[in-house]
Amino acid sequence: MKLPPEFDPVANLVARQEENGTFHSVIQSAALVESLIRDGSQENFETAELVINAVIDCQSTDPEDPHVGNFLWEKETEVVEDLNAVQFVLFRFIPLLIEFEGRISVVTRERMRVAIRSGLEAIARIDVHLLYTNIVLKDICNSCLGGELLGDTEIAERGYLKLRRWFDRTRQSGIPTEYNSPGYTSLAIEVLGRLASTTEDVDARVLSTIAAARLSVSAAALINP
């Protein structure tokens, strides 16, 4: 896989140039990690590990920080400004560690585990509302899969319970509360699909599969009744 032209090999992060300087995107870099690892070559695995560590370096580890465990949106911001950043990073990291743990070096995968646990603790503190579909589905997916990865039943059970609560509330109308966006609909289907294909929990697999199907039918009906 050819690295994107925006990749900065010095910082090992995706960058963009602005009039007032260079800015490195932590979220886009986490997405790049998934592309590199799924490409499968050893060279790309080695590059992915460099990016993983650069992303983890952008996680708050200060116990005095109220947002400890969360990530910077961009390296240059220096403080956590967007509380959703942790959701986007863990959505990439958790499934990759579940699927490819044996190919990631011991040092990097242990850093990932520590970062994931701290990130999941931040997610639980934020506890985003059920109406915020885009983010609550990432909360659910990250918590279910992250708890399973870490062998932490409390984290996983929080995810399973929140999935049930979101499912029951959404069932009242058939679709998520704020949905009229093709982009967000496809994103919700992606997140639910990842949960359905990866979780070890039968109930979570069934609920996420049904929810993804309902969203797909609703979107299709809007396109062509």
Side-chain angles (χ1 to χ4, degrees):
M1 174 185 163
K2 186 177 180 181
L3 287 167
E6 300 84 8
F7 182 69
D8 179 355
V10 176
N12 291 310
L13 295 168
V14 175
R16 76 177 195 283
Q17 298 292 330
E18 299 286 349
E19 290 183 2
N20 55 337
T22 302
F23 297 87
H24 295 82
S25 171
V26 175
I27 310 308
Q28 290 182 32
S29 300
L32 176 61
V33 167
E34 180 166 12
S35 298
L36 288 168
I37 287 182
R38 294 196 182 281
D39 180 68
S41 71
Q42 184 57 37
E43 180 181 1
N44 281 335
F45 260 89
E46 292 170 0
T47 303
E49 290 208 26
L50 294 174
V51 181
I52 288 169
N53 282 286
V55 169
I56 292 174
D57 287 342
C58 294
Q59 184 180 36
S60 173
T61 57
D62 180 0
E64 301 300 319
D65 182 354
H67 306 310
V68 61
N70 213 317
F71 289 80
L72 306 179
W73 196 264
E74 292 179 325
K75 181 180 179 181
E76 287 70 24
T77 56
E78 297 184 353
V79 295
V80 174
E81 295 180 344
D82 191 323
L83 298 185
N84 295 334
V86 64
Q87 305 282 7
F88 287 90
V89 174
L90 265 56
F91 182 67
R92 304 294 181 177
F93 279 11
I94 292 171
L96 291 177
L97 196 53
I98 290 172
E99 191 173 345
F100 298 98
E101 183 171 15
R103 292 196 62 185
I104 300 172
S105 71
V106 174
V107 173
T108 299
R109 69 184 184 227
E110 287 308 309
R111 280 202 81 194
M112 290 179 76
R113 283 179 170 272
V114 171
I116 287 167
R117 180 173 291 280
S118 182
L120 289 169
E121 290 170 356
I123 286 172
R125 287 197 306 273
I126 297 167
D127 196 24
V128 66
H129 196 279
L130 297 177
L131 298 184
Y132 194 178
T133 307
N134 173 32
I135 301 303
V136 76
L137 289 180
K138 282 191 170 66
D139 173 341
I140 290 165
C141 183
N142 287 330
S143 298
C144 293
L145 299 185
E148 292 171 5
L149 170 69
L150 300 174
D152 191 316
T153 55
E154 183 177 349
I155 293 174
E157 287 294 340
R158 177 186 174 276
Y160 304 150
L161 176 60
K162 197 159 189 175
L163 172 60
R164 168 55 74 180
R165 290 169 53 219
W166 176 83
F167 184 91
D168 288 344
R169 193 188 191 291
T170 303
R171 184 168 52 183
Q172 296 173 17
S173 62
I175 56 173
T177 307
E178 79 280 45
Y179 263 62
N180 60 358
S181 164
Y184 279 131
T185 298
S186 62
L187 186 61
I189 293 169
E190 177 191 3
V191 175
L192 288 164
R194 175 163 290 183
L195 178 57
S197 64
T198 310
T199 182
E200 300 170 354
D201 185 80
V202 175
D203 289 346
R205 186 183 309 126
V206 170
L207 291 180
S208 53
T209 299
I210 292 171
R214 285 177 175 170
L215 286 179
S216 300
V217 170
S218 297
L222 288 173
I223 296 169
N224 187 343

